[in-house]
Amino acid sequence: MDQSAPSTSNKNIEWDTRYCSEKCKEDHYVRAKGGYVREQLFEIEHGQCQICGMNAHDLYTHTKSLPRKDRKEYLANTSFAKLPPKSLNNIIDKPSEGKFWQADHIVAVADGGGLCSLDNFRTLCTVCHRSVTNIQTKQREQNKKIQARRSAGFADITKFFKPSS
């Protein structure tokens, strides 16, 4: 018998005792179990985008229930019509929940939010998630340019033109 295996008949209780608290257990699951964050967010936010308010879960279930030939017309009347054709066609061909909403890091992973708890996540529909990600990417690119200029000895003169408080 494996010595590391739980010795009690109720494995869930034995496993839970490996953590110092429920918070510790949740923090571990957020970091280690891929689908855990989505499951927990769905219990809290029910697939509703925290920016635009769209219920992306309902959009998914309805889209999936439609015959393929009717999906494009249905999605054309939603914000998903803004998606690039390749992405939209992928959703039409093979709808899955993960194509309709994402578990978004409020503080981006690139900004140190990768090891945060469930409090750092929110539900975003695909359209809002793409928008937020694009804004964050542009901001990081701008910050890299500013940092490169500073490293090269050029000061940020924009502060010179701002009135002091």
Side-chain angles (χ1 to χ4, degrees):
M1 181 175 160
D2 181 4
Q3 296 297 322
S4 64
S7 59
T8 65
S9 60
N10 189 337
K11 291 181 181 177
N12 288 335
I13 292 172
E14 182 68 24
W15 177 253
D16 286 348
T17 62
R18 295 181 188 185
Y19 297 98
C20 60
S21 67
E22 281 297 313
K23 173 101 174 84
C24 179
K25 177 180 158 185
E26 181 179 289
D27 287 348
H28 174 257
Y29 278 9
V30 166
R31 291 177 182 86
K33 293 180 72 176
Y36 180 77
V37 171
R38 284 183 62 88
E39 291 169 10
Q40 295 303 303
L41 272 181
F42 188 78
E43 283 186 29
I44 298 165
E45 299 173 348
H46 310 289
Q48 183 169 358
C49 180
Q50 298 302 296
I51 291 179
C52 72
M54 173 200 299
N55 190 320
H57 173 72
D58 287 351
L59 183 66
Y60 158 68
T61 55
H62 188 74
T63 301
K64 186 177 179 182
S65 72
L66 293 171
R68 189 201 177 291
K69 64 179 181 59
D70 297 336
R71 292 174 184 163
K72 185 172 186 173
E73 183 179 339
Y74 176 69
L75 290 172
N77 297 316
T78 71
S79 62
F80 275 55
K82 299 175 192 173
L83 292 173
K86 185 176 180 179
S87 298
L88 187 56
N89 287 334
N90 191 320
I91 289 170
I92 291 166
D93 288 338
K94 298 176 186 171
S96 66
E97 188 126 24
K99 295 176 184 175
F100 285 81
W101 67 271
Q102 284 74 43
D104 178 61
H105 289 86
I106 297 168
V107 176
V109 172
D111 297 331
L115 295 177
C116 294
S117 68
L118 194 57
D119 295 340
N120 187 46
F121 288 91
R122 62 184 172 181
T123 301
L124 293 186
C125 70
T126 299
V127 175
C128 289
H129 188 256
R130 287 177 67 94
S131 176
V132 166
T133 300
N134 288 338
I135 290 167
Q136 290 171 340
T137 300
K138 287 176 185 173
Q139 184 63 48
R140 277 193 297 280
E141 288 170 0
Q142 184 178 5
N143 289 345
K144 283 181 185 177
K145 288 178 184 176
I146 291 169
Q147 189 59 38
R149 281 188 238 130
R150 286 184 183 149
S151 297
F154 297 101
D156 181 6
I157 64 168
T158 59
K159 291 185 172 121
F160 177 78
F161 295 105
K162 291 181 182 174
S164 58
S165 302

PDB file of all heavy atoms in Angstrom, residues 84-99:
ATOM      1  N   PRO A  84     -13.075  39.625 -34.900  1.00  0.00           N
ATOM      2  CA  PRO A  84     -12.508  39.339 -36.220  1.00  0.00           C
ATOM      3  C   PRO A  84     -13.205  38.116 -36.833  1.00  0.00           C
ATOM      4  O   PRO A  84     -13.608  37.193 -36.097  1.00  0.00           O
ATOM      5  CB  PRO A  84     -11.041  39.027 -35.926  1.00  0.00           C
ATOM      6  CG  PRO A  84     -10.768  39.612 -34.582  1.00  0.00           C
ATOM      7  CD  PRO A  84     -12.069  39.603 -33.840  1.00  0.00           C
ATOM      8  N   PRO A  85     -13.349  38.099 -38.155  1.00  0.00           N
ATOM      9  CA  PRO A  85     -14.072  36.991 -38.807  1.00  0.00           C
ATOM     10  C   PRO A  85     -13.560  35.601 -38.427  1.00  0.00           C
ATOM     11  O   PRO A  85     -14.362  34.684 -38.215  1.00  0.00           O
ATOM     12  CB  PRO A  85     -13.865  37.258 -40.301  1.00  0.00           C
ATOM     13  CG  PRO A  85     -13.642  38.729 -40.381  1.00  0.00           C
ATOM     14  CD  PRO A  85     -12.933  39.108 -39.117  1.00  0.00           C
ATOM     15  N   LYS A  86     -12.257  35.435 -38.303  1.00  0.00           N
ATOM     16  CA  LYS A  86     -11.709  34.119 -37.957  1.00  0.00           C
ATOM     17  C   LYS A  86     -12.211  33.667 -36.580  1.00  0.00           C
ATOM     18  O   LYS A  86     -12.612  32.521 -36.401  1.00  0.00           O
ATOM     19  CB  LYS A  86     -10.186  34.160 -37.993  1.00  0.00           C
ATOM     20  CG  LYS A  86      -9.530  32.819 -37.766  1.00  0.00           C
ATOM     21  CD  LYS A  86      -8.024  32.901 -37.907  1.00  0.00           C
ATOM     22  CE  LYS A  86      -7.385  31.546 -37.666  1.00  0.00           C
ATOM     23  NZ  LYS A  86      -5.936  31.596 -37.817  1.00  0.00           N
ATOM     24  N   SER A  87     -12.191  34.566 -35.608  1.00  0.00           N
ATOM     25  CA  SER A  87     -12.674  34.242 -34.261  1.00  0.00           C
ATOM     26  C   SER A  87     -14.172  33.957 -34.269  1.00  0.00           C
ATOM     27  O   SER A  87     -14.634  33.006 -33.638  1.00  0.00           O
ATOM     28  CB  SER A  87     -12.382  35.391 -33.295  1.00  0.00           C
ATOM     29  OG  SER A  87     -11.010  35.607 -33.179  1.00  0.00           O
ATOM     30  N   LEU A  88     -14.914  34.803 -34.970  1.00  0.00           N
ATOM     31  CA  LEU A  88     -16.363  34.632 -35.032  1.00  0.00           C
ATOM     32  C   LEU A  88     -16.717  33.300 -35.703  1.00  0.00           C
ATOM     33  O   LEU A  88     -17.584  32.567 -35.213  1.00  0.00           O
ATOM     34  CB  LEU A  88     -17.002  35.798 -35.775  1.00  0.00           C
ATOM     35  CG  LEU A  88     -18.526  35.854 -35.777  1.00  0.00           C
ATOM     36  CD1 LEU A  88     -19.088  35.862 -34.363  1.00  0.00           C
ATOM     37  CD2 LEU A  88     -19.004  37.071 -36.543  1.00  0.00           C
ATOM     38  N   ASN A  89     -16.046  32.972 -36.790  1.00  0.00           N
ATOM     39  CA  ASN A  89     -16.316  31.707 -37.478  1.00  0.00           C
ATOM     40  C   ASN A  89     -15.986  30.511 -36.599  1.00  0.00           C
ATOM     41  O   ASN A  89     -16.689  29.501 -36.637  1.00  0.00           O
ATOM     42  CB  ASN A  89     -15.554  31.637 -38.802  1.00  0.00           C
ATOM     43  CG  ASN A  89     -16.164  32.560 -39.839  1.00  0.00           C
ATOM     44  OD1 ASN A  89     -17.347  32.886 -39.787  1.00  0.00           O
ATOM     45  ND2 ASN A  89     -15.349  33.010 -40.779  1.00  0.00           N
ATOM     46  N   ASN A  90     -14.939  30.626 -35.800  1.00  0.00           N
ATOM     47  CA  ASN A  90     -14.577  29.555 -34.881  1.00  0.00           C
ATOM     48  C   ASN A  90     -15.690  29.336 -33.853  1.00  0.00           C
ATOM     49  O   ASN A  90     -16.043  28.208 -33.523  1.00  0.00           O
ATOM     50  CB  ASN A  90     -13.250  29.901 -34.199  1.00  0.00           C
ATOM     51  CG  ASN A  90     -12.669  28.756 -33.432  1.00  0.00           C
ATOM     52  OD1 ASN A  90     -13.381  28.011 -32.771  1.00  0.00           O
ATOM     53  ND2 ASN A  90     -11.363  28.619 -33.485  1.00  0.00           N
ATOM     54  N   ILE A  91     -16.255  30.426 -33.359  1.00  0.00           N
ATOM     55  CA  ILE A  91     -17.361  30.350 -32.396  1.00  0.00           C
ATOM     56  C   ILE A  91     -18.594  29.732 -33.057  1.00  0.00           C
ATOM     57  O   ILE A  91     -19.273  28.903 -32.465  1.00  0.00           O
ATOM     58  CB  ILE A  91     -17.671  31.750 -31.823  1.00  0.00           C
ATOM     59  CG1 ILE A  91     -16.546  32.199 -30.891  1.00  0.00           C
ATOM     60  CG2 ILE A  91     -19.014  31.773 -31.104  1.00  0.00           C
ATOM     61  CD1 ILE A  91     -16.627  33.642 -30.460  1.00  0.00           C
ATOM     62  N   ILE A  92     -18.860  30.127 -34.294  1.00  0.00           N
ATOM     63  CA  ILE A  92     -20.023  29.607 -35.016  1.00  0.00           C
ATOM     64  C   ILE A  92     -19.863  28.111 -35.278  1.00  0.00           C
ATOM     65  O   ILE A  92     -20.796  27.336 -35.086  1.00  0.00           O
ATOM     66  CB  ILE A  92     -20.226  30.386 -36.339  1.00  0.00           C
ATOM     67  CG1 ILE A  92     -20.667  31.818 -36.029  1.00  0.00           C
ATOM     68  CG2 ILE A  92     -21.228  29.681 -37.246  1.00  0.00           C
ATOM     69  CD1 ILE A  92     -20.585  32.769 -37.205  1.00  0.00           C
ATOM     70  N   ASP A  93     -18.667  27.708 -35.716  1.00  0.00           N
ATOM     71  CA  ASP A  93     -18.426  26.304 -36.051  1.00  0.00           C
ATOM     72  C   ASP A  93     -18.450  25.392 -34.832  1.00  0.00           C
ATOM     73  O   ASP A  93     -19.042  24.315 -34.879  1.00  0.00           O
ATOM     74  CB  ASP A  93     -17.077  26.141 -36.758  1.00  0.00           C
ATOM     75  CG  ASP A  93     -17.093  26.694 -38.171  1.00  0.00           C
ATOM     76  OD1 ASP A  93     -18.193  26.816 -38.749  1.00  0.00           O
ATOM     77  OD2 ASP A  93     -16.011  27.006 -38.689  1.00  0.00           O
ATOM     78  N   LYS A  94     -17.778  25.811 -33.775  1.00  0.00           N
ATOM     79  CA  LYS A  94     -17.641  24.954 -32.590  1.00  0.00           C
ATOM     80  C   LYS A  94     -17.825  25.779 -31.317  1.00  0.00           C
ATOM     81  O   LYS A  94     -16.859  26.111 -30.634  1.00  0.00           O
ATOM     82  CB  LYS A  94     -16.263  24.292 -32.572  1.00  0.00           C
ATOM     83  CG  LYS A  94     -16.008  23.383 -33.749  1.00  0.00           C
ATOM     84  CD  LYS A  94     -14.592  22.841 -33.712  1.00  0.00           C
ATOM     85  CE  LYS A  94     -14.307  22.049 -34.967  1.00  0.00           C
ATOM     86  NZ  LYS A  94     -12.911  21.676 -35.082  1.00  0.00           N
ATOM     87  N   PRO A  95     -19.066  26.136 -31.011  1.00  0.00           N
ATOM     88  CA  PRO A  95     -19.260  26.944 -29.801  1.00  0.00           C
ATOM     89  C   PRO A  95     -18.876  26.163 -28.546  1.00  0.00           C
ATOM     90  O   PRO A  95     -19.212  24.992 -28.400  1.00  0.00           O
ATOM     91  CB  PRO A  95     -20.751  27.259 -29.819  1.00  0.00           C
ATOM     92  CG  PRO A  95     -21.372  26.311 -30.768  1.00  0.00           C
ATOM     93  CD  PRO A  95     -20.305  25.808 -31.686  1.00  0.00           C
ATOM     94  N   SER A  96     -18.123  26.815 -27.682  1.00  0.00           N
ATOM     95  CA  SER A  96     -17.804  26.260 -26.368  1.00  0.00           C
ATOM     96  C   SER A  96     -17.793  27.421 -25.389  1.00  0.00           C
ATOM     97  O   SER A  96     -17.551  28.572 -25.772  1.00  0.00           O
ATOM     98  CB  SER A  96     -16.451  25.542 -26.380  1.00  0.00           C
ATOM     99  OG  SER A  96     -15.410  26.454 -26.605  1.00  0.00           O
ATOM    100  N   GLU A  97     -18.063  27.119 -24.150  1.00  0.00           N
ATOM    101  CA  GLU A  97     -18.195  28.180 -23.143  1.00  0.00           C
ATOM    102  C   GLU A  97     -16.954  29.067 -23.079  1.00  0.00           C
ATOM    103  O   GLU A  97     -17.047  30.274 -22.926  1.00  0.00           O
ATOM    104  CB  GLU A  97     -18.503  27.573 -21.780  1.00  0.00           C
ATOM    105  CG  GLU A  97     -18.838  28.605 -20.744  1.00  0.00           C
ATOM    106  CD  GLU A  97     -20.161  28.360 -20.060  1.00  0.00           C
ATOM    107  OE1 GLU A  97     -20.624  27.215 -20.037  1.00  0.00           O
ATOM    108  OE2 GLU A  97     -20.727  29.323 -19.549  1.00  0.00           O
ATOM    109  N   GLY A  98     -15.781  28.454 -23.214  1.00  0.00           N
ATOM    110  CA  GLY A  98     -14.529  29.203 -23.138  1.00  0.00           C
ATOM    111  C   GLY A  98     -14.334  30.204 -24.262  1.00  0.00           C
ATOM    112  O   GLY A  98     -13.476  31.080 -24.174  1.00  0.00           O
ATOM    113  N   LYS A  99     -15.117  30.112 -25.302  1.00  0.00           N
ATOM    114  CA  LYS A  99     -15.046  31.081 -26.397  1.00  0.00           C
ATOM    115  C   LYS A  99     -15.991  32.258 -26.173  1.00  0.00           C
ATOM    116  O   LYS A  99     -15.951  33.232 -26.915  1.00  0.00           O
ATOM    117  CB  LYS A  99     -15.384  30.396 -27.727  1.00  0.00           C
ATOM    118  CG  LYS A  99     -14.373  29.349 -28.134  1.00  0.00           C
ATOM    119  CD  LYS A  99     -14.795  28.633 -29.394  1.00  0.00           C
ATOM    120  CE  LYS A  99     -13.812  27.510 -29.717  1.00  0.00           C
ATOM    121  NZ  LYS A  99     -14.269  26.706 -30.879  1.00  0.00           N
TER     122      LYS A  99
END
